[in-house]
Amino acid sequence: LDRPLFSAEHYKAYQGETMQLRLFSAISGRRKFKGVLKCQSENSLTFEVDGESLDVPFDQIEKGRIVFD
């Protein structure tokens, strides 16, 4: 089961949850990520992916979903 996310408010409500992201353009050579949302700023999200922090600008997110285990 997964839940799509569309707005900054959606992401803020699920801080600390595991999410899958697909980006419009690659960051660190990848467009798809799965990680935990750590924090949110006005223009970006910070995820923990594979033990490292990753800052993702909102305008780069093509699709985001919460992943329920």
Side-chain angles (χ1 to χ4, degrees), residues 12-59:
K12 186 175 183 177
Y14 291 98
Q15 191 166 326
E17 298 291 334
T18 301
M19 301 182 182
Q20 286 185 328
L21 297 177
R22 184 168 65 207
L23 307 180
F24 288 111
S25 59
I27 296 177
S28 301
R30 295 171 55 185
R31 286 187 56 223
K32 294 181 182 179
F33 295 92
K34 182 176 180 180
V36 177
L37 177 60
K38 291 298 183 182
C39 63
Q40 172 180 338
S41 70
E42 188 173 319
N43 299 318
S44 67
L45 301 171
T46 301
F47 290 89
E48 184 177 321
V49 178
D50 301 328
E52 296 184 19
S53 279
L54 176 71
D55 291 322
V56 179
F58 279 123
D59 62 357

